[in-house]
Amino acid sequence: MSDGVSAPENFEHGEHEAIDAGFVWLECQDEKYRTYYETAGDGDVPLVLLHTASADSRQYRHLLNDADLLEEFTLYAFDMPWHGQTFPPMTDEWWTEDYRLTTDFYAQFVMTFVDAFDLDQPGVVGCSMGGAIVLELARSYAEDLRAVVGLESTAHAPTRDIGYLDHPHVNQEVVRPEWTYGLQAPDSPEQFKRESWWTYSQGGNGVYVGDLYFYTQDWDIRDELGDIDTDECSVYLLTGDYDFSASPDDTREVAEQIDGAEFSVMENMGHFPMVENPALFREYIDPVLEKVKND
């Protein structure tokens, strides 16, 4: 089995990675978005990968390069609007309004991507804010999905907003990566923790705050968790034991409210498992993806 790590020593000079990339125009809630995506593999099961707040599809490069996974799955990772290489809406004067992500738009955009690629019963993996929205996908779009996998999932997280990231005296490009660096496990390889740190140093102005609006204010599925039918869409939840922003107890509470949901704690892991320790992450995600494949 591959170790799941896309490190420099694994590639020769001039060698191309397994990842293909492109742009697709998606229309959601009457706005058009030039959407960047990456895809890899030719397996029978489509798997959509959702990045964290203020980040982008780079977080999944290790999974997208994992030869073992690519035999069983076809993987898709994309940048949400305002993130990475996906622009804000291509309309007049989009810059005159603050970016604010909502539950309704988030879920609709993910399913718009699924529809655009004509994916048949995909699984969806999401981390952090992506780990939250997969719960809404399981509730509202169960008939279109085979399973969701939530990493660092919560039903409601009002304490995630630290309150000053949009203050004019705060350098977001310094505070944001330092804050998120501290959400990673101490024993995760420094090389990969710094990879996460670098990604978080590059978010657009106000995007993290706009994502936190979803995560801390708009998002609250506590009263609807019981509506999720795992006979129709399986739910798997994994949370790192060093994650203090979306703790194992937070995710355990989610799992206890969903009949048939499966939950595991990832030991020696923090908030960004697919980035901070990709080899260890494979040990936890492999048994889950085996179940997703057979759902």
Side-chain angles (χ1 to χ4, degrees):
M1 182 177 69
S2 165
D3 66 4
V5 179
S6 302
E9 58 268 23
N10 295 341
F11 296 95
E12 300 294 335
H13 172 70
E15 181 180 357
H16 288 268
E17 295 189 7
I19 302 170
D20 291 323
F23 291 90
V24 59
W25 282 83
L26 300 180
E27 185 169 353
C28 184
Q29 296 188 354
D30 299 323
E31 299 282 6
K32 292 182 179 180
Y33 298 89
R34 183 177 184 263
T35 305
Y36 176 77
Y37 70 92
E38 298 182 347
T39 184
D42 54 8
D44 294 334
V45 179
L47 194 65
V48 178
L49 310 171
L50 307 179
H51 61 73
T52 66
S54 191
D56 53 61
S57 57
R58 282 178 291 177
Q59 292 181 313
Y60 287 100
R61 74 179 185 91
H62 301 288
L63 289 185
L64 287 161
N65 273 297
D66 194 294
D68 292 336
L69 284 182
L70 303 187
E71 292 180 1
E72 304 287 346
F73 297 89
T74 302
L75 276 58
Y76 300 84
F78 66 91
D79 297 347
M80 282 290 292
W82 301 78
H83 298 72
Q85 294 192 63
T86 299
F87 281 109
M90 307 298 268
T91 55
D92 292 339
E93 298 187 353
W94 55 264
W95 55 90
T96 62
E97 296 183 8
D98 290 335
Y99 163 70
R100 292 291 181 268
L101 181 62
T102 65
T103 302
D104 184 53
F105 176 83
Y106 196 177
Q108 284 189 36
F109 195 86
V110 174
M111 295 311 299
T112 297
F113 182 90
V114 169
D115 291 342
F117 283 83
D118 196 25
L119 303 184
D120 182 25
Q121 293 291 299
V124 182
V125 178
C127 185
S128 189
M129 76 171 192
I133 203 61
V134 298
L135 300 175
E136 176 62 24
L137 296 177
R139 185 180 77 91
S140 297
Y141 299 95
E143 67 277 6
D144 299 314
L145 306 172
R146 69 172 57 219
V148 298
V149 182
L151 311 174
E152 324 305 320
S153 300
T154 62
H156 185 54
T159 60
R160 284 295 306 280
D161 189 349
I162 58 179
Y164 51 76
L165 283 171
D166 57 350
H167 193 284
H169 293 168
V170 171
N171 187 333
Q172 296 179 38
E173 278 62 50
V174 173
V175 174
R176 183 175 56 241
E178 294 295 329
W179 156 249
T180 53
Y181 177 87
L183 294 175
Q184 301 174 102
D187 289 338
S188 290
E190 189 67 17
Q191 171 190 358
F192 297 120
K193 288 197 290 186
R194 288 296 173 176
E195 181 175 316
S196 184
W197 176 89
W198 181 251
T199 299
Y200 266 95
S201 72
Q202 299 175 337
N205 182 59
V207 172
Y208 196 20
V209 171
D211 286 340
L212 288 178
Y213 172 81
F214 156 72
Y215 206 53
T216 64
Q217 298 186 49
D218 192 68
W219 171 246
D220 188 349
I221 199 176
R222 288 174 294 179
D223 293 338
E224 287 80 38
L225 288 172
D227 297 337
I228 296 175
D229 184 356
T230 55
D231 289 333
E232 193 167 18
C233 177
S234 299
V235 176
Y236 305 99
L237 303 171
L238 297 166
T239 293
D241 60 350
Y242 276 97
D243 188 353
F244 61 86
S245 69
S247 72
D249 286 342
D250 292 332
T251 309
R252 185 176 291 107
E253 290 179 7
V254 172
E256 289 172 350
Q257 298 300 314
I258 303 173
D259 186 28
E262 298 186 20
F263 168 60
S264 297
V265 176
M266 296 183 286
E267 296 182 2
N268 296 313
M269 195 74 82
H271 191 70
F272 307 99
M274 62 286 189
V275 185
E276 66 178 84
N277 199 335
L280 180 59
F281 179 56
R282 280 297 308 274
E283 296 181 17
Y284 290 107
I285 197 68
D286 275 356
V288 171
L289 293 181
E290 186 67 23
K291 294 177 182 179
V292 171
K293 183 179 67 175
N294 296 315
D295 279 330

